[in-house]
Amino acid sequence: MDRILIRGGRPLSGAIAIGGAKNAALPLMAAGLLTEERLTLENVPRLEDIRTMASLLAQHGIAVEWGPEKKTLGLGGRITSTEAPYDIVRKMRASVLVLGPLLARCGEARVSLPGGCAIGTRPVDLHLKGLEQMGAVIRIEGGYIVASVAGRLRGAEIVLPFPSVGATENLLMAASLAEGQTIIANAAREPEIGDLAECLAAMGARVSGIGGDRLVIEGATKLHGACHAIIPDRIETGTYLCAAAIAGGEIDLRGARLGDVAALARALDDAGVEISETATGILARRRNGLAGVDVMTEPYPGFPTDMQAQFMALMSVAEGAAMITETIFENRFMHVPELNRMGARVNVHGASAIVRGVPHLSGAPVMATDLRASVSLVLAGLAARGETVVSRVYHLDRGYEAVEAKLAACGADIERIAEDR
Ligand code: UD1
């Protein structure tokens, strides 16, 4: 398995192009199941998770083709199977996003239950309850969600007890082909949901309340093809903002949207990082030391859980203490022991971590169990004295395109060591 080697201590300077949002691309690809016509997605990142979703769609009978520049994906074809097998779903939880579209389009679906993952149990009960309210009959059999509906799904008023991103997306897609009106109250408001709703609207669905916590969808009998450009990745953006902050120097993030990372930008500003909007994206600059800042993860527009590990790496070298509270996932501090091996002083108490800043970290061999934890170790490596080797890089490849090339182009001393070396 590849590893990433970082020799820390170099400030960054240069520009990084932000790719399309992985977490927008995955539901948008699932939306390809809602029409027999062609759906073209532009600005698709080339990531392992995208390839996993492509193989799942292929298993359903959908042809997935990259355009000549490898940034566009064309989806189309007849659905030949409504089963999402365990072998694919266990690799990527977002596979469960095919459930709503398959059920709405074909009246049946058999989707493996995703099970637990490194960051928590992550059930899908809200997805299933919402679909049942729309008339689906669902049972769990042999580890699979077996869902069917007589005729079409019916519009319903669904109040989510928690604004789950995945449940909002699954229900939004199902509602776009349901009979009558669906209301999703306490819907998640993440920008990726707005992006999905815009694409569904381009496919002929009538969705109002986009960007808010109450989505109203008038179902259509049929959706048509469309061409949709995916929004820039706010988590990739946030990660490189933290890279500039931890390494020092200045990075220009091309194509990034400040509005999508407002909560993080506020925290970085409090920590002493200069963040400004430019004509082409966001400029991040750190000249002086960092100050400790408390943050708590929350649903959007709050501080994103997907930025918690990276922000912790940053706080580990800030002056003073920072309290980082995780409210979205119950087990998302797997990076703490690894950061501590690099000399960080982090103590976890329940859902909170107290980070006492140290003057410098020291390089070490480390590994991580999930995507954002892995990249937090890369960030820590940029600031550490000596060499850091991050193993289990396949986690990184799930969500970051060419992370080492992008950082190296800004002056970081970082390289990928291929498995056989
Ligand atoms: C999505 C993102 C993920 C991000 C998360 C929160 C994608 C592909 N993934 O994940 O990167 O960290 O949003 O911003 O977009 N829950 C339930 N029952 C459900 C659904 C969720 O209890 O039916 C719980 C989960 O266990 C978790 C919390 O709600 O504790 C948040 O989950 P959710 O918002 O659904 O996140 P995902 O869609 O899985």
Side-chain angles (χ1 to χ4, degrees):
M1 225 169 288
D2 291 1
R3 288 168 296 160
I4 301 265
L5 166 68
I6 308 137
R7 293 181 194 90
R10 290 205 188 185
L12 301 179
S13 165
I16 289 178
I18 297 301
K22 167 181 87 77
N23 286 353
L26 296 172
L28 284 164
M29 289 172 76
L33 292 163
L34 291 166
T35 174
E36 59 192 21
E37 294 179 19
R38 190 174 176 83
L39 176 64
T40 303
L41 299 174
E42 293 175 346
N43 199 28
V44 184
R46 289 182 68 82
L47 298 169
E48 202 46 46
D49 274 7
I50 301 297
R51 284 185 273 274
T52 303
M53 185 57 103
S55 59
L56 179 56
L57 293 178
Q59 132 90 25
H60 296 310
I62 304 290
V64 183
E65 290 154 14
W66 284 100
E69 283 154 33
K70 308 287 181 205
K71 285 196 123 193
T72 300
L73 265 190
L75 312 172
R78 217 169 52 81
I79 296 175
T80 52
S81 159
T82 54
E83 174 159 332
Y86 176 65
D87 266 358
I88 299 183
V89 180
R90 74 181 165 83
K91 275 197 226 162
M92 185 182 70
R93 292 182 42 86
S95 307
V96 79
L97 293 171
V98 300
L99 176 63
L102 286 173
L103 190 57
R105 179 93 186 283
C106 309
E108 57 165 45
R110 198 167 173 272
V111 176
S112 171
L113 267 173
C117 70
I119 61 174
T121 49
R122 295 178 87 175
V124 289
D125 55 318
L126 306 178
H127 304 230
L128 305 188
K129 275 187 196 133
L131 292 169
E132 279 172 342
Q133 269 188 269
M134 298 174 79
V137 176
I138 299 180
R139 61 178 201 282
I140 306 295
E141 198 181 271
Y144 278 73
I145 303 161
V146 183
S148 61
V149 61
R152 286 170 70 194
L153 288 171
R154 293 180 295 281
E157 182 162 357
I158 300 163
V159 182
L160 291 176
F162 173 86
S164 153
V165 173
T168 304
E169 290 166 344
N170 237 332
L171 297 172
L172 176 58
M173 289 189 278
S176 67
L177 279 183
E179 199 178 327
Q181 186 185 70
T182 299
I183 297 173
I184 308 175
N186 198 27
R189 287 184 282 165
E190 271 69 3
E192 294 76 20
I193 291 165
D195 205 33
L196 173 63
E198 299 286 359
C199 178
L200 293 174
M203 293 167 76
R206 281 180 293 155
V207 188
S208 55
I210 297 177
D213 64 357
R214 185 181 154 90
L215 294 169
V216 181
I217 308 107
E218 304 290 340
T221 46
K222 223 175 170 179
L223 294 179
H224 51 73
C227 179
H228 178 82
I230 296 173
I231 57 170
D233 196 310
R234 67 193 165 96
I235 306 301
E236 187 189 27
T237 301
T239 300
Y240 290 122
L241 289 176
C242 287
I246 200 166
E250 184 174 307
I251 312 194
D252 180 4
L253 298 180
R254 302 262 163 87
R257 301 201 305 199
L258 187 56
D260 289 350
V261 293
L264 171 68
R266 274 195 299 276
L268 288 173
D269 182 63
D270 289 347
V273 185
E274 292 170 39
I275 308 274
S276 53
E277 194 162 22
T278 65
T280 52
I282 306 178
L283 191 71
R285 184 188 296 149
R286 177 173 73 79
R287 291 210 188 89
N288 301 317
L290 291 162
V293 176
D294 296 346
V295 295
M296 179 161 86
T297 64
E298 285 172 309
Y300 191 85
F303 190 95
T305 176
D306 285 350
M307 283 306 306
Q308 184 254 104
Q310 301 91 311
F311 197 76
M312 186 181 291
L314 186 62
M315 289 296 99
S316 70
V317 291
E319 195 171 326
M323 183 160 86
I324 298 182
T325 304
E326 174 60 58
T327 74
I328 307 294
F329 293 110
E330 77 265 27
N331 189 22
R332 209 174 193 179
F333 286 132
M334 310 288 277
H335 42 286
V336 169
E338 299 299 297
L339 286 173
N340 284 349
R341 293 187 62 246
M342 296 178 71
R345 289 178 61 207
V346 186
N347 285 309
V348 175
H349 302 275
S352 293
I354 305 290
V355 187
R356 293 184 179 86
V358 294
H360 61 84
L361 297 172
S362 61
V366 286
M367 66 164 107
T369 44
D370 76 76
L371 166 58
R372 309 303 171 185
S374 300
V375 86
S376 77
L377 299 174
V378 172
L379 297 186
L382 293 177
R385 289 185 177 168
E387 282 189 8
T388 298
V389 178
V390 182
S391 12
R392 294 207 185 157
V393 165
Y394 62 89
H395 287 299
L396 268 181
D397 295 336
R398 288 188 50 198
Y400 290 91
E401 193 174 347
V403 64
E404 68 280 10
K406 287 184 180 187
L407 287 170
C410 292
D413 188 345
I414 179 170
E415 62 180 300
R416 180 178 286 249
I417 308 170
E419 188 172 17
D420 51 354
R421 258 178 59 185

